[in-house]
């Protein structure tokens, strides 16, 4: 998938996971929410892997950092090229 | 402890720069009653919470404020 679209999918999946996580802080036994959280969590991790495999690391500890030290070289998030 | 993700929470595409608006937005992050201040308050006060749910809530909301700011 095209880079920005894939990154947007990562962002959306992360948001869904985080918001469900917040809900679970005050409703830790809600079965529906727990189910959804697991779905969102797995989807987020899948999308991160898909993104990183093709476009490089999102975190320092990523399994997909290359020997060129992409971590530093790829555009920083506040720069135009990253958006 | 946190790990940095090299991406924004939402994409930013500035079509028309506006220094006055930028200044207002920055004040919402770092100014009085800004997001960063709120984040630090939540993260500091979670240690005084009596239950796991409340510790988790203040941690997650405090972190959420950081996402907004950074």
């Amino acid at each position: 998938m095209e880079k920005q679209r894939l990154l947007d999918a990562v962002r959306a999946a992360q948001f869904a996971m985080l918001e469900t996580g917040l809900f679970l802080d005050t409703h830790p036994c809600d079965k529906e929410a727990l189910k959804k959280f697991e779905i969102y969590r797995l989807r987020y991790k899948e999308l991160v892997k898909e993104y990183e495999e093709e476009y490089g690391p999102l975190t320092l500890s990523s399994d997909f950092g290359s020997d060129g030290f992409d971590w530093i070289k790829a555009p920083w998030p506040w720069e135009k090229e990253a958006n | 402890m946190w790990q940095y993700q090299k991406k924004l929470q939402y994409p930013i595409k500035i079509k028309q720069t506006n220094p006055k608006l930028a200044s207002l937005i920055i004040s919402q992050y770092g100014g009085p009653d800004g997001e960063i201040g709120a984040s630090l308050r939540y993260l500091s006060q979670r240690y005084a919470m009596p239950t796991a749910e409340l510790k988790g809530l203040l941690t997650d909301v405090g972190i959420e404020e950081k996402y907004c700011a950074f």
Side-chain angles (χ1 to χ4, degrees):
Chain A
M1 209 196 293
E2 188 247 312
K3 185 179 187 180
Q4 286 309 318
R5 282 201 61 206
L6 187 49
L7 192 54
D8 281 345
V10 171
R11 294 190 240 254
Q14 185 176 42
F15 182 80
M17 178 187 70
L18 288 173
E19 293 298 299
T20 312
L22 272 167
F23 178 80
L24 284 166
D25 282 334
T26 47
H27 305 75
C29 303
D30 187 313
K31 292 205 166 89
E32 267 309 303
L34 284 166
K35 265 191 246 161
K36 286 191 174 150
F37 179 79
E38 187 58 9
I39 292 169
Y40 299 150
R41 187 185 73 82
L42 289 170
R43 190 171 69 199
Y44 167 67
K45 294 189 84 170
E46 225 178 272
L47 285 165
V48 166
K49 181 165 181 279
E50 211 182 303
Y51 177 88
E52 289 188 318
E53 257 170 350
E54 188 156 354
Y55 298 110
L58 284 170
T59 60
L60 187 63
S61 59
S62 166
D63 291 334
F64 299 100
S66 81
D67 54 352
F69 211 48
D70 280 342
W71 174 251
I72 288 187
K73 296 215 182 115
W76 287 85
W78 57 87
E79 294 172 333
K80 226 186 211 155
E81 299 72 31
N83 287 281
Chain B
M1 250 207 67
W2 298 281
Q3 187 179 48
Y4 179 67
Q5 293 185 353
K6 196 172 172 181
K7 71 182 204 313
L8 297 178
Q9 196 176 18
Y10 299 94
I12 304 270
K13 297 183 206 296
I14 311 276
K15 295 191 189 104
Q16 177 70 51
T17 58
N18 183 335
K20 279 211 177 99
L21 183 59
S23 179
L24 174 68
I25 292 172
I26 289 175
S27 78
Q28 296 303 300
Y29 288 140
D33 295 323
E35 295 289 330
I36 294 175
S39 168
L40 282 172
R41 276 194 294 282
Y42 294 137
L43 292 171
S44 303
Q45 287 170 7
R46 62 197 169 126
Y47 304 121
M49 291 299 108
T51 66
E53 286 81 1
L54 288 172
K55 292 172 198 180
L57 185 63
L58 287 189
T59 299
D60 291 343
V61 174
I63 291 175
E64 197 75 42
E65 307 283 353
K66 282 216 190 306
Y67 291 155
C68 298
F70 295 101

